[in-house]
Amino acid sequence: MATSLSFPTKFSLHPNSSVFVFQSPNGPKRIRFPKKINKVLCSATEQPKQQQQKQQRWQTNKKKKSDSDAEKGIDPVGFLTKTGISHRQFAQFLRERHKALKDLKDEIFNRHVNLRDLASGFEILGMHRHPEHRVDYMEWAPGARYCALVGDFNGWSQTDNAAREGHLGHDDYGYWFIILEDKLREGENPDELYFQQYNYVEDYDKGDSGVPIEEIFKKANDEYWEPGEDRFLNHRFEVPAKLYEQIFGPNGPQTLEELGEIPDAETRYKEWKEQHKDDPPSNSPCYDVIDNGKEYDIFNVVVDPVSREKFKSKKPPLAYWFETRKGRKAWLKKYTPGIPHGSKYRVYFNTPNGPLERVPAWATYVQPEGNQAFAIHWEPPPEDAYKWRNTSPKVPKSLRIYECHVLPHVKEAGYNAIQFIGVVEHKDYFTVGYRVTNHYAVSSRFGTPDDFKRLVDEAHGLGLLVFLDIVHSYSAADEMVGLSLFDGSNDCYFHTGKRGHHKYWGTRMLKYGDLDVLHFLLSNLNWWVVEYQIDGFQFHSLSSMMYTHNGFASFTGDLEEYCNQSVDREALLYLILANEILHGLHPNIITIAEDATYYPGLCEPTSQGGLGFDYYVNLSVPDMWSSFLQNVPDHEWSMSKIVSTLTGNKQYTDKMLVYAENHNQSISGGHSFAEILLGEIMKDSDATKESLLRGCSLLKMIRLITFTIGGRAYLNFMGNEFGHPERVEFPMSSNNFSFSLANRRWDLLAKEGVHRNLFIFDKDLMNLDEKGRILSGVQPNIHHVNDTTKLNNRKSSFKQPFNSWTASRRGVKGCLRPAQPQEHVSKGVGHLPSLNCKMYAKPNQVIAYMRGPLLFIFNFHPTDSYEGYGVGVEEAGEYQLILNTDEVEYGGQGLVKEHQHTRKTFSKRVDALRHCLEVPLPSRTAQVGFLFSFRVFGIYAPELFTIGKLSLNVLSFEN
């Protein structure tokens, strides 16, 4: 069976029979599902001959399937071959996982027409308006004995709207079905047609014209049907009724003897021909039976080709059918909704353990109330329903993501995507939305479903993509508001026993191997895209779901750790399906993997043995910066560690998303970098200028190097770009459930000072990518990482004042410092006294790299500055300063003057490169220079490049 994703289906029900008929664009199709019979034999010698032949055929088919995979470009270990990784155990694991995926798809196609059908459960499950003046409700609860809807619409009755087995009950898979009929208004009569449909969107259509149904049918007979053509339709029960009367009527035979023998088909056909030989001629297609005297001829039917083509060319009489439909006005006049918009409701189950009330799993709007919650029926009238105004913007070449809820600020700040957390309905505010209770519902804390649509629409109108932090790695353990023990059993959505509970977080672990759980989760992903036009997902905490130890284990890097008994293969298959379906249904979707264990193949194509994500998050970066800021003195920072951590695995740099700090530092009990560096300073009016300068400088340098040294995407948590001095703290028992810290102080941006300076810098950093295409450009060439200098102890006898810059000009990389006294240490751009001093090795803490035509140089040293620090460059020419963290408008000192903004290279081999460039480099500053004479394919393309107060003509280049 084809695995087409975009194949439109007429309906999505689980067939119980082995034959399933569905509607396709080319007409109805009939699919026969083979029923598998598994037999267990003791040994190969005991297999009967047929079984051995079957086994041989299976081996042949297996080889054909393998050949077919190769033709499709599928290689279960393809990414291992590409990267040159040789690990027999992991390769075998990938092959077995690929086979398991094929078996899973076979199982899926026994119940679903295609993968789109698997991921579209929201079209039939939950509450849905049916055009035949009713609302349909479907829920999966295989462990329940009885199901009913209770709510304020029926006085919370447990019997008024119920589904019972055998009568609108549940099917073999545990799906319950309930119909809520709309209520006739007083004085109104039921529709004459039991199948009468209504147009709930338009106020007026032909159904409101007042033309009687009898007249519409007569018009159809007169104008559409040809003489005799509609006789069968109008009298389709005539023949079986007469046959029934003859055989079973009061005058029919009472015994088998009286019934006698039924004539054969040929005899009956000839009798029918004789009976109708005098019928008037008809324009209906002429059918006859071929009879050449052979036994099988009686089964061959021939039709007149001309009349057959004429019949096939006729279109269905939709125009007349539409005239039987009624508009919304007609419905409002005749009916009231069986469940009005805004009604509170729950689903009621009777289970082996007693009665239960639950919030429906597919509810799209939920309002928590204390330890309970209610589903809200969301069916606003068409005039009040939200109407989309904007389409999703095109996916940019570089992603600059802002994790927030404040749109105008994000647009002004220069980001092109936003990411929401805590949008999906969850139980507790302080869990930041990660203990999800209702996967299909927008959190009612922030408004209605239409309010969220408006938010997404506004973002799209501003040119911002909208990503959702999706939590499918675990779920809330609360029974009253979540899915735990949903139908009274312990194995509905979650694993049983220890495997069903997270080891440390108190959450439930989903059962990814269950087809109905897959149906629920994959449909959930598709739901957010279809209903709310979400542009991408960041999959939260994948390590929690991919391992039975929930990721809480030490990893040494041995591939055996990614394929041993602790790996949850079912979870991996779910992630593969999720990426295949999302990218198949929505080609522009973006998926991001958050995995602390860096599972091999995260961003490799699923056809090559990967999981199929577009990006992975480098979680090591914020941890490294946090550790440095809190535990390591500034002069002991390792430049090598900074570079290695920021660049990650070079094979996957193109797929890396980085951030300097994430919401964990600001929300989850940690400390934001600004809180560490500026928190106490901002509270202390007597804080020294040096302390403030240190904090501001490091915040800018950390963000600049994180943004520019690696990866194709960058993420920032709201407020971090302007150094918010306080963390976010949600209401909880420790703060007496106060909302005082559950905010961001946007007022800080309106004041002159460090926060506004930091915001201006971050805005110019985003502008640097917009103009210079850093993230989407070539990867950096990191050629200068200076942790230490190797100098022999020697005497120096300069007879005039000098500083450390002079030393670099004379070819001595490093800083000259007197051994004694300590107070003569150079700070900033100062002069040392004329004296004989002892030179010794010390770290420079300088990093330099090229990315396209841009040169980045960082001096992390807390005290030492350089007048002409030499770094190697490959291209000769003139470099012009376009971004400097020490600019006054960024909160710096402005030590690099305007006449120093342009520097020329000279011929000297440095850092294994052909040319050398010397630049002024004050302590704790970073600079970005542009190679003014840079050529792209030998062509100059001038364009105005403005960053902050610095502007120049540069090149427009594509990579």
Side-chain angles (χ1 to χ4, degrees):
M1 182 184 296
T3 60
S4 170
L5 291 170
S6 58
F7 192 74
T9 55
K10 186 72 174 177
F11 50 83
S12 303
L13 296 177
H14 306 292
N16 294 324
S17 64
S18 60
V19 178
F20 181 51
V21 179
F22 64 94
Q23 193 70 27
S24 75
N26 301 320
K29 303 289 184 183
R30 182 180 297 271
I31 298 177
R32 183 172 298 278
F33 301 100
K35 295 185 177 180
K36 300 179 180 179
I37 301 176
N38 297 324
K39 295 182 179 179
V40 179
L41 298 175
C42 297
S43 67
T45 57
E46 297 178 14
Q47 294 182 0
K49 187 175 181 180
Q50 291 181 349
Q51 185 71 11
Q52 292 178 354
Q53 293 175 348
K54 183 178 179 181
Q55 183 73 13
Q56 293 173 356
R57 288 196 302 269
W58 182 84
Q59 294 288 354
T60 304
N61 291 337
K62 182 179 179 182
K63 185 177 184 301
K64 290 180 179 179
K65 288 181 180 179
S66 300
D67 295 340
S68 177
D69 282 348
E71 292 173 2
K72 296 177 182 177
I74 298 175
D75 183 357
V77 296
F79 83 90
L80 293 182
T81 305
K82 182 185 73 172
T83 54
I85 297 175
S86 177
H87 193 279
R88 181 178 297 179
Q89 185 178 351
F90 189 70
Q92 182 61 26
F93 176 82
L94 292 181
R95 291 188 178 95
E96 292 174 354
R97 192 182 73 187
H98 177 66
K99 182 183 181 301
L101 179 64
K102 295 172 71 174
D103 292 341
L104 176 60
K105 288 183 178 179
D106 287 342
E107 184 182 356
I108 289 171
F109 297 143
N110 281 335
R111 286 177 55 183
H112 298 273
V113 176
N114 48 39
L115 294 180
R116 179 201 174 277
D117 186 62
L118 173 68
S120 300
F122 55 83
E123 294 179 354
I124 59 171
L125 281 133
M127 199 83 75
H128 294 280
R129 166 61 59 182
H130 193 282
E132 294 176 9
H133 52 77
R134 75 189 207 211
V135 171
D136 294 343
Y137 173 79
M138 186 179 288
E139 189 72 72
W140 180 60
R145 294 175 174 174
Y146 174 89
C147 177
L149 278 177
V150 298
D152 52 17
F153 67 97
N154 64 5
W156 300 95
S157 171
Q158 300 168 359
T159 57
D160 286 359
N161 301 101
R164 295 179 178 84
E165 189 172 1
H167 178 70
L168 298 181
H170 66 77
D171 62 11
D172 294 340
Y173 300 99
Y175 287 86
W176 298 84
F177 185 64
I178 298 175
I179 292 179
L180 305 175
E181 295 281 357
D182 292 336
K183 300 173 184 177
L184 275 172
R185 295 184 184 272
E186 188 175 352
E188 293 289 339
N189 296 320
D191 288 315
E192 297 180 32
L193 299 177
Y194 75 91
F195 53 83
Q196 183 69 62
Q197 294 189 358
Y198 289 85
N199 185 338
Y200 287 89
V201 178
E202 300 294 336
D203 285 339
Y204 174 80
D205 62 11
K206 293 183 179 181
D208 288 328
S209 61
V211 179
I213 292 175
E214 291 79 6
E215 185 175 335
I216 294 175
F217 283 174
K218 184 177 185 303
K219 187 178 180 181
N221 285 333
D222 294 343
E223 298 180 7
Y224 181 80
W225 302 108
E226 296 181 0
E229 200 172 50
D230 63 335
R231 184 173 186 276
F232 173 75
L233 296 177
N234 292 336
H235 308 282
R236 60 188 182 277
F237 297 119
E238 178 180 345
V239 173
K242 288 183 177 179
L243 182 62
Y244 185 92
E245 176 68 23
Q246 291 175 5
I247 298 177
F248 302 105
N251 299 321
Q254 301 298 312
T255 63
L256 290 176
E257 290 75 11
E258 293 180 13
L259 178 62
E261 294 184 1
I262 299 178
D264 61 274
E266 181 180 5
T267 301
R268 297 200 307 273
Y269 173 71
K270 290 180 178 179
E271 290 178 354
W272 180 85
K273 289 279 290 184
E274 180 66 22
Q275 181 180 355
H276 294 280
K277 65 181 180 180
D278 297 326
D279 286 356
S282 171
N283 290 328
S284 299
C286 178
Y287 294 95
D288 207 343
V289 176
I290 298 176
D291 183 7
N292 293 326
K294 297 180 181 179
E295 294 183 1
Y296 57 81
D297 283 342
I298 196 67
F299 299 106
N300 296 332
V301 179
V302 66
V303 62
D304 175 28
V306 177
S307 59
R308 180 178 183 181
E309 291 302 319
K310 181 180 178 181
F311 181 78
K312 288 177 62 177
S313 65
K314 298 185 69 172
K315 296 181 179 179
L318 294 179
Y320 309 109
W321 173 252
F322 286 147
E323 291 212 31
T324 69
R325 301 173 67 187
K326 296 182 180 293
R328 180 170 175 80
K329 287 183 178 179
W331 176 80
L332 286 173
K333 177 184 176 184
K334 194 164 190 174
Y335 292 97
T336 59
I339 176 169
H341 168 62
S343 297
K344 292 182 178 181
Y345 70 96
R346 289 200 194 103
V347 60
Y348 172 88
F349 296 124
N350 194 348
T351 74
N353 295 325
L356 299 171
E357 279 189 17
R358 293 284 187 259
V359 175
W362 299 74
T364 60
Y365 189 32
V366 177
Q367 285 186 350
E369 295 184 11
N371 292 326
Q372 297 183 344
F374 299 92
I376 306 297
H377 179 56
W378 193 256
E379 189 187 13
E383 59 271 16
D384 296 334
Y386 188 79
K387 297 176 177 61
W388 295 95
R389 297 181 291 108
N390 302 300
T391 58
S392 296
K394 293 182 179 179
V395 177
K397 292 184 177 179
S398 62
L399 284 177
R400 305 184 299 273
I401 309 170
Y402 195 97
E403 200 168 26
C404 79
H405 298 77
V406 190
L407 298 186
H409 172 80
V410 179
K411 181 65 176 178
E412 180 190 357
Y415 292 80
N416 56 20
I418 56 176
Q419 181 168 301
F420 293 128
I421 59 175
V423 165
V424 185
E425 188 60 73
H426 49 281
K427 181 178 184 291
D428 298 311
Y429 202 2
F430 72 89
T431 61
V432 201
Y434 286 126
R435 293 186 179 180
V436 173
T437 55
N438 308 99
H439 291 260
Y440 285 81
V442 172
S443 179
S444 59
R445 297 168 177 84
F446 313 120
T448 68
D450 284 359
D451 290 334
F452 183 61
K453 289 181 180 179
R454 187 174 294 106
L455 177 65
V456 175
D457 204 11
E458 290 292 332
H460 287 164
L462 292 171
L464 301 172
L465 297 176
V466 179
F467 298 159
L468 202 62
D469 202 350
I470 199 76
V471 186
H472 281 184
S473 48
Y474 51 82
S475 188
D478 305 85
E479 297 178 15
M480 293 303 297
V481 295
L483 298 176
S484 186
L485 291 173
F486 181 70
D487 61 0
S489 66
N490 197 37
D491 57 357
C492 186
Y493 287 94
F494 305 106
H495 288 292
T496 58
K498 291 183 179 181
R499 191 179 177 188
H501 296 266
H502 195 286
K503 293 181 181 298
Y504 300 99
W505 295 345
T507 51
R508 295 300 309 274
M509 305 309 297
L510 292 152
K511 187 165 52 175
Y512 303 102
D514 189 287
L515 205 59
D516 296 289
V517 177
L518 284 178
H519 186 47
F520 178 82
L521 294 175
L522 294 170
S523 296
N524 184 239
L525 296 173
N526 193 20
W527 158 261
W528 288 104
V529 182
V530 172
E531 182 69 12
Y532 294 107
Q533 299 191 11
I534 296 298
D535 302 299
F537 299 97
Q538 176 168 313
F539 284 71
H540 171 74
S541 188
L542 294 186
S543 53
S544 297
M545 61 187 289
M546 294 194 301
Y547 308 96
T548 55
H549 52 60
N550 306 133
F552 286 83
S554 59
F555 283 79
T556 64
D558 190 335
L559 286 180
E560 187 274 334
E561 296 166 339
Y562 301 104
C563 58
N564 59 24
Q565 70 278 3
S566 298
V567 176
D568 191 331
R569 187 173 64 179
E570 294 173 349
L572 296 177
L573 296 182
Y574 160 69
L575 293 174
I576 293 172
L577 282 175
N579 278 300
E580 284 188 357
I581 290 174
L582 281 174
H583 289 95
L585 293 177
H586 314 286
N588 293 325
I589 204 74
I590 294 173
T591 59
I592 304 169
E594 184 190 84
D595 172 29
T597 68
Y598 301 105
Y599 193 86
L602 272 175
C603 297
E604 294 289 347
T606 58
S607 61
Q608 299 300 300
L611 300 185
F613 287 96
D614 298 302
Y615 296 92
Y616 77 94
V617 181
N618 188 340
L619 295 167
S620 303
V621 174
D623 292 338
M624 176 198 67
W625 290 125
S626 181
S627 176
F628 275 8
L629 291 173
Q630 296 185 89
N631 306 316
V632 183
D634 293 2
H635 65 276
E636 294 182 9
W637 284 19
S638 169
M639 301 299 102
S640 300
K641 181 174 181 179
I642 290 175
V643 170
S644 62
T645 303
L646 288 173
T647 54
N649 188 332
K650 293 184 178 180
Q651 293 176 338
Y652 299 109
T653 304
D654 280 350
K655 300 292 187 178
M656 186 169 65
L657 181 149
V658 294
Y659 39 41
E661 54 181 320
N662 60 12
H663 61 263
N664 288 333
Q665 277 80 13
S666 298
I667 295 179
S668 304
H671 298 277
S672 70
F673 298 170
E675 186 180 5
I676 297 170
L677 293 169
L678 304 176
E680 294 302 322
I681 298 174
M682 303 306 295
K683 296 175 184 178
D684 184 2
S685 59
D686 298 327
T688 62
K689 182 179 179 181
E690 288 78 5
S691 299
L692 188 61
L693 181 62
R694 171 184 179 266
C696 186
S697 299
L698 286 177
L699 284 172
K700 289 178 291 185
M701 295 181 70
I702 287 172
R703 299 181 73 78
L704 176 61
I705 193 171
T706 303
F707 185 82
T708 60
I709 201 173
R712 295 292 190 190
Y714 176 79
L715 183 143
N716 169 65
F717 180 69
M718 61 176 177
N720 289 345
E721 76 281 4
F722 63 87
H724 198 283
E726 300 169 344
R727 65 178 174 273
V728 176
E729 191 172 280
F730 292 109
M732 60 185 83
S733 57
S734 60
N735 58 23
N736 295 322
F737 299 97
S738 170
F739 283 86
S740 59
L741 292 179
N743 56 57
R744 298 272 86 176
R745 291 188 54 193
W746 305 106
D747 61 291
L748 295 174
L749 290 173
K751 305 174 183 178
E752 293 295 332
V754 62
H755 298 292
R756 180 147 187 83
N757 294 335
L758 289 171
F759 172 70
I760 294 172
F761 171 77
D762 193 79
K763 183 178 179 180
D764 286 347
L765 181 57
M766 298 303 110
N767 191 25
L768 180 66
D769 179 63
E770 184 69 21
K771 297 289 182 66
R773 303 183 180 95
I774 296 174
L775 297 180
S776 61
V778 296
Q779 289 300 322
N781 176 22
I782 305 168
H783 59 271
H784 189 97
V785 181
N786 200 327
D787 276 322
T788 61
T789 53
K790 298 179 180 178
L791 292 175
N792 296 323
N793 291 341
R794 63 179 178 174
K795 294 283 181 94
S796 177
S797 56
F798 288 96
K799 302 301 182 182
Q800 59 184 358
F802 72 99
N803 56 37
S804 57
W805 298 7
T806 310
S808 182
R809 277 192 178 277
R810 293 174 182 266
V812 181
K813 290 183 183 177
C815 176
L816 302 178
R817 291 184 61 183
Q820 297 291 336
Q822 186 65 30
E823 61 267 18
H824 290 304
V825 173
S826 171
K827 293 185 178 180
V829 187
H831 289 276
L832 295 180
S834 177
L835 50 83
N836 292 336
C837 62
K838 186 177 182 180
M839 307 264 308
Y840 62 94
K842 64 173 292 296
N844 274 358
Q845 295 183 284
V846 175
I847 299 172
Y849 52 89
M850 293 288 300
R851 194 161 188 177
L854 300 178
L855 172 64
F856 298 85
I857 307 178
F858 296 80
N859 178 13
F860 277 95
H861 201 283
T863 57
D864 293 343
S865 302
Y866 312 100
E867 180 182 352
Y869 192 94
V871 294
V873 291
E874 187 66 26
E875 297 289 338
E878 187 175 86
Y879 286 77
Q880 188 163 345
L881 183 65
I882 60 174
L883 186 67
N884 176 20
T885 62
D886 194 45
E887 288 294 322
V888 175
E889 66 173 339
Y890 300 151
Q893 302 178 86
L895 296 176
V896 179
K897 304 305 178 183
E898 187 173 351
H899 70 276
Q900 298 173 304
H901 288 177
T902 302
R903 293 279 169 162
K904 292 183 179 179
T905 62
F906 58 90
S907 181
K908 182 179 180 181
R909 196 165 188 82
V910 176
D911 298 328
L913 301 177
R914 293 184 296 174
H915 303 280
C916 180
L917 185 73
E918 291 185 346
V919 296
L921 201 57
S923 62
R924 281 206 190 101
T925 65
Q927 300 170 23
V928 183
F930 180 82
L931 176 56
F932 189 67
S933 58
F934 184 74
R935 289 173 178 264
V936 180
F937 305 118
I939 301 173
Y940 289 103
E943 177 184 302
L944 184 64
F945 197 153
T946 303
I947 302 296
K949 295 181 179 179
L950 302 174
S951 65
L952 66 158
N953 286 327
V954 300
L955 304 173
S956 174
F957 60 94
E958 296 286 347
N959 295 281

